[in-house]
Amino acid sequence: MEEAPTLSITMLGAGQEVGRSCCVLQYRGRTVVCDAGIHPAYSGMASLPFIDYLDWSTVDALLITHFHLDHAAALTYITEKTNFRDGNGKVYMTHPTKAVHKFMMQDYVRMSSSSSHPLFSPLDMTMSMASIITVSVHELVTVCPGISFTPYHAGHVLGACMFLVDIYGLKILYTGDYSREDDRHLVKAELPPVQPDVLIVESTFGVHKLECRQDKEDRFTSLVHSTIRRNGHVLLPTFALGGAQELLLILDDYWKRHPDLHHVPIYYVSSLAKKSMAVYQTYIHSMNSTIRSRFAKRDNPFVFKHVSNAPQTRGWEQEIAYGPPCVVLASPGFMQAGPSRQILELWAPDSNNGVIITGYSIEGTLARDIMTEPEDFVSLKGVTISRKMSVDEVSFAAHVDYSQNADFIEQVKAKHVVLVHGARSEMGRLHSALTSRFKDRGDGVKIHAPKNLETLKLSFPRRKIAKVVGTLGTNPPQTSGVISGLLVSNGHSYTLVNSGDLRDFTGLPTSTVTQRQKMVLDVGWSLVKWHLEGMYGTVQEGYDEDGVPTIRVMDTVDVKHSGAHELTLEWASSSSNDMIADSTLALITSIAESPASVKLTTHPHSHSHNETDAGAHTHPTFGVISSDTRIQGLAMFLQAHFSNVELHVPDVSDEEPEQRGEDPYLLVQLDATQAQVNLITLTVHSSDEELQKRVEAVLDMAATTVNLLSESFVSRSSKMSSLETA
């Protein structure tokens, strides 16, 4: 069976921008949200995704790819300040991500508590943490019927993953931030073994090509070393977790190989410094083989020989600023506030000093502005500060460049690629480059770049496959054959079963509704049987388990003589059975007014059935017609089409044979003309040719209908096993 359901993708953040990542996937009544971050360039409510756009009680799963604030910091607000908890939504992230997320959010709450309108309280953060479900990489997680997902390594930072989401068989790969480059401690993003229908991928660096790893490290250490040689201080604004650990590994290794630098201290300035190191040492198994191998040899790579935490004394910033040369890694990486901003303001006027931007800088942040090398900038206190220190950029941001991104897209082989997490200009150039690349190859890949709140709708014609089980599956189907059963849907799997197998193969409870209708009996029981045979052909007559005379109609409806003047209709309710019961009820209620009934109940007679039968046969109730079910049906059919009719049954008391005749007949009266229908020979005689043709046409339909009923239902008598033959 073919169907074409629609996948809706709506960006509540990171649509043609970097920051507040939040992607909503809606398909066949299910909703999955990927990431819930803030925008570092804004504060308060303005930093959140466009959360009012979505009814959060409808969300089935909220998946967090990694712990960076622009991907996870809005989670607490969503779980504690929206109606998210009114539904059955669940929050998932990997074990390392949750461990680091806790520290990141504690620091974020502490930093934002000084603002006039903090987004949430420490208690809100604690409550939100309790609702997080941790998962392992490569673990298949079933959220609810129809939704499952599997995390895969994404590189980027410790614990980061991309999610392969399956919603009723439709597969969507959401990468989050990912890196395909081998670095000092992380495994690079892996290629999922399943081909998705849709790939939602970051576009942070657009069409740029990044330096190779070795050239980048060499240029970085060279800049650090040259600044120290000119008796300057080096500021490395970085995030407390992620990029900082990579830089520390590089610097510690470089210091080991350069004894002339051993007297130059490397400070790691962050309130999360000690906590972050503990987390990294806990999750060594999540890192690359080099780190795991060193750790196995009791050589802990995160116990640095040349790195120390910043002094804890008051005014340590002044001591460092005016002391001997040193290297300082300080958070946050965007330098909006905190230690990195304080140190920048102290060191900026000295041309011997230098700042090296090592991560991706979001538009609107000081880290992005300082890269233009302005002559001055405004401090947090509103004072203009002259900038004379050198500014350099060596990107260790663990994001893919154009070449890596395009190669990954080609290997994934999704027919729809959705670009997110990129500045509008960068994303636009990437969109054009990828469109041109795949158009030339004729792969049929479509590239999309939705803006925030712009819903992208993608249709996917799909084929439903049903598994035939139980008694229906005992005989293999033949070509062009027909299989009838109940189609049971469970998630995105379908099963075709016989109704009797429903409980055994689906676990669904079954029940039968038996309907009973009682009515007054105005005529004889035998007359009821005669009318039922005339309408339905052969019926089964017998007794039920209580000995009540019963007639079964079409192997469906039991007509019971339940009292002296009472009939009871009984049947198992269904759409088809109810229609048969309705027609049976209508027939029985019209018996008393039937012309045939009046004639049959007022003309007892004898009749010779055939020429060889010399004996007389007495019919006190029916006359000759009761012995021939076919004749009964024809008579009733004709009576239904002509209102003014008379049924003539021959009687031995008639003195004139020509009046008595040999066969029963029906006299049809229409205005001043009449037609006589022989119910044995099925011939019509009338002086009116038009009336004769009309009656012949009706008679022909009657004969065909009665014959079909007789052939169809005569075989049903063998199924009357629950009744005894009268």
Side-chain angles (χ1 to χ4, degrees):
M1 297 173 291
E2 298 290 346
E3 60 174 356
T6 300
L7 169 68
S8 296
I9 302 175
T10 307
M11 303 304 298
L12 303 187
Q16 297 189 10
E17 68 173 359
V18 178
R20 57 183 169 193
S21 289
C22 191
C23 176
V24 181
L25 308 174
Q26 294 171 311
Y27 182 71
R28 296 182 64 175
R30 295 297 190 185
T31 301
V32 176
V33 177
C34 297
D35 282 338
I38 60 164
H39 199 300
Y42 308 133
S43 60
M45 295 295 291
S47 67
L48 293 172
F50 296 93
I51 57 175
D52 291 341
Y53 181 86
L54 181 65
D55 179 0
W56 289 91
S57 67
T58 65
V59 175
D60 297 290
L62 203 168
L63 313 178
I64 302 297
T65 57
H66 63 286
F67 54 72
H68 278 157
L69 296 181
D70 62 323
H71 290 260
L75 174 61
T76 297
Y77 189 92
I78 290 170
T79 59
E80 306 307 315
K81 301 297 184 179
T82 71
N83 61 348
F84 179 83
R85 294 192 185 277
D86 293 344
N88 297 313
K90 302 172 183 176
V91 181
Y92 298 90
M93 60 180 67
T94 63
H95 296 273
T97 298
K98 182 177 181 180
V100 179
H101 175 67
K102 177 181 178 180
F103 300 140
M104 294 284 285
M105 293 308 297
Q106 288 174 342
D107 190 57
Y108 177 78
V109 169
R110 181 181 59 80
M111 294 287 291
S112 60
S113 61
S114 58
S115 65
S116 57
H117 299 288
L119 291 175
F120 40 79
S121 66
L123 178 60
D124 291 329
M125 190 273 296
T126 302
M127 294 293 290
S128 177
M129 289 296 302
S131 66
I132 296 172
I133 302 171
T134 52
V135 296
S136 300
V137 176
H138 302 152
E139 176 186 358
L140 176 61
V141 181
T142 299
V143 177
C144 60
I147 301 180
S148 62
F149 68 88
T150 304
Y152 291 93
H153 287 295
H156 191 61
V157 293
L158 178 66
C161 66
M162 55 181 70
F163 290 106
L164 180 64
V165 182
D166 187 313
I167 310 177
Y168 287 120
L170 185 72
K171 294 177 173 56
I172 306 106
L173 180 62
Y174 178 83
T175 66
D177 293 350
Y178 79 110
S179 171
R180 293 282 284 173
E181 181 181 71
D182 291 315
D183 64 14
R184 292 270 179 156
H185 69 295
L186 295 176
V187 296
K188 66 179 182 181
E190 58 188 327
L191 186 70
V194 178
Q195 179 180 344
D197 299 286
V198 179
L199 170 63
I200 303 176
V201 64
E202 68 150 299
S203 54
T204 312
F205 281 119
V207 295
H208 293 289
K209 180 174 177 57
L210 302 179
E211 293 178 89
C212 72
R213 181 71 189 192
Q214 190 58 53
D215 290 347
K216 186 161 44 181
E217 289 192 10
D218 290 345
R219 191 162 67 91
F220 169 68
T221 53
S222 177
L223 285 170
V224 171
H225 206 152
S226 62
T227 303
I228 293 172
R229 286 195 185 101
R230 65 174 185 249
N231 205 34
H233 302 77
V234 181
L235 172 61
L236 303 175
T238 185
F239 296 105
L241 293 163
Q245 282 66 36
E246 183 74 2
L247 296 178
L248 291 173
L249 288 169
I250 295 171
L251 290 172
D252 199 53
D253 180 65
Y254 187 79
W255 253 240
K256 289 178 185 177
R257 293 183 283 110
H258 292 79
D260 59 309
L261 293 175
H262 288 183
H263 68 285
V264 178
I266 302 174
Y267 295 117
Y268 183 26
V269 182
S270 170
S271 59
L272 298 179
K274 292 182 179 180
K275 295 178 181 178
S276 64
M277 285 297 101
V279 171
Y280 268 70
Q281 294 180 49
T282 300
Y283 291 100
I284 291 290
H285 66 279
S286 298
M287 301 180 194
N288 60 29
S289 57
T290 301
I291 296 294
R292 294 198 306 270
S293 176
R294 288 181 58 183
F295 195 79
K297 298 175 182 177
R298 299 184 182 278
D299 177 18
N300 189 334
F302 294 104
V303 176
F304 302 109
K305 295 180 174 58
H306 302 281
V307 179
S308 59
N309 293 324
Q312 299 299 312
T313 58
R314 182 183 297 273
W316 61 267
E317 301 94 337
Q318 298 287 340
E319 295 179 13
I320 292 177
Y322 301 108
C326 66
V327 178
V328 175
L329 286 84
S331 62
F334 297 128
M335 296 192 294
Q336 291 294 88
S340 61
R341 178 63 173 264
Q342 296 170 10
I343 294 173
L344 176 73
E345 293 180 1
L346 288 172
W347 291 2
D350 190 340
S351 60
N352 288 329
N353 299 331
V355 57
I356 304 175
I357 306 299
T358 58
Y360 181 82
S361 301
I362 294 178
E363 289 186 14
T365 63
L366 181 60
R368 171 63 67 90
D369 295 339
I370 205 74
M371 286 166 56
T372 62
E373 300 187 54
E375 293 184 357
D376 52 48
F377 63 95
V378 179
S379 71
L380 289 174
K381 295 181 179 181
V383 178
T384 300
I385 297 177
S386 173
R387 183 211 60 84
K388 294 182 179 179
M389 68 187 309
S390 63
V391 179
D392 294 281
E393 180 189 12
V394 182
S395 179
F396 286 93
H399 297 274
V400 287
D401 64 7
Y402 172 72
S403 177
Q404 295 165 344
N405 212 1
D407 289 345
F408 183 77
I409 293 171
E410 284 189 359
Q411 294 180 65
V412 169
K413 299 180 180 178
K415 292 301 181 182
H416 290 276
V417 177
V418 182
L419 304 179
V420 300
H421 197 279
R424 179 177 301 179
S425 58
E426 297 293 344
M427 188 181 291
R429 285 190 283 269
L430 179 60
H431 181 277
S432 298
L434 290 175
T435 300
S436 176
R437 178 172 181 151
F438 288 105
K439 182 179 180 181
D440 295 341
R441 301 191 178 199
D443 294 334
V445 177
K446 296 182 179 179
I447 311 298
H448 311 274
K451 298 182 291 186
N452 284 338
L453 302 184
E454 176 186 340
T455 298
L456 174 66
K457 294 184 178 293
L458 306 176
S459 295
F460 296 90
R462 310 187 75 80
R463 181 178 291 271
K464 292 181 181 177
I465 305 298
K467 181 186 295 183
V468 182
V469 299
T471 55
L472 288 182
T474 54
N475 297 316
Q478 302 300 317
T479 302
S480 301
V482 176
I483 299 178
S484 298
L486 297 175
L487 184 65
V488 181
S489 170
N490 182 11
H492 54 271
S493 63
Y494 300 89
T495 305
L496 190 66
V497 298
N498 184 284
S499 58
D501 296 330
L502 195 63
R503 181 187 296 271
D504 295 335
F505 286 91
T506 67
L508 294 174
T510 58
S511 61
T512 300
V513 177
T514 300
Q515 297 212 52
R516 294 182 181 87
Q517 174 70 52
K518 290 187 177 182
M519 58 189 302
V520 176
L521 177 62
D522 294 328
V523 297
W525 175 246
S526 298
L527 189 59
V528 173
K529 178 188 175 186
W530 181 79
H531 275 272
L532 292 175
E533 287 179 333
M535 176 60 73
Y536 299 107
T538 301
V539 296
Q540 298 92 47
E541 187 175 13
Y543 299 89
D544 67 5
E545 59 273 11
D546 297 323
V548 177
T550 302
I551 297 173
R552 177 163 291 177
V553 178
M554 295 184 70
D555 201 26
T556 298
V557 179
D558 288 341
V559 181
K560 298 184 178 184
H561 193 183
S562 54
H565 300 286
E566 181 183 81
L567 285 182
T568 300
L569 273 63
E570 183 176 297
W571 69 97
S573 183
S574 70
S575 57
S576 59
N577 291 357
D578 291 349
M579 288 191 292
I580 297 172
D582 288 343
S583 66
T584 303
L585 182 63
L587 175 64
I588 293 175
T589 56
S590 65
I591 289 178
E593 291 78 21
S594 168
S597 297
V598 174
K599 182 69 176 178
L600 291 171
T601 55
T602 57
H603 290 279
H605 68 281
S606 298
H607 179 66
S608 177
H609 285 274
N610 53 59
E611 295 179 357
T612 61
D613 186 2
H617 189 96
T618 302
H619 297 276
T621 305
F622 299 116
V624 296
I625 296 180
S626 63
S627 65
D628 191 334
T629 303
R630 183 168 173 271
I631 292 177
Q632 299 164 15
L634 291 172
M636 293 192 64
F637 197 97
L638 289 168
Q639 289 167 18
H641 284 77
F642 299 98
S643 58
N644 191 3
V645 295
E646 295 179 7
L647 178 64
H648 290 264
V649 180
D651 194 303
V652 294
S653 64
D654 291 341
E655 295 181 356
E656 299 296 332
E658 63 275 7
Q659 294 178 2
R660 172 170 53 86
E662 295 297 331
D663 299 320
Y665 66 92
L666 190 69
L667 191 64
V668 180
Q669 187 78 28
L670 185 63
D671 297 330
T673 60
Q674 62 182 14
Q676 181 174 314
V677 180
N678 189 309
L679 294 176
I680 300 300
T681 62
L682 299 184
T683 56
V684 181
H685 299 284
S686 176
S687 59
D688 188 323
E689 184 178 353
E690 182 178 347
L691 177 60
Q692 179 173 331
K693 290 181 179 180
R694 180 177 173 184
V695 174
E696 286 176 345
V698 174
L699 183 63
D700 184 58
M701 289 189 296
T704 302
T705 303
V706 171
N707 285 337
L708 288 173
L709 282 172
S710 299
E711 294 170 2
S712 174
F713 301 113
V714 72
S715 62
R716 296 179 181 267
S717 59
S718 61
K719 301 179 181 178
M720 195 66 172
S721 58
S722 63
L723 300 175
E724 298 178 3
T725 305

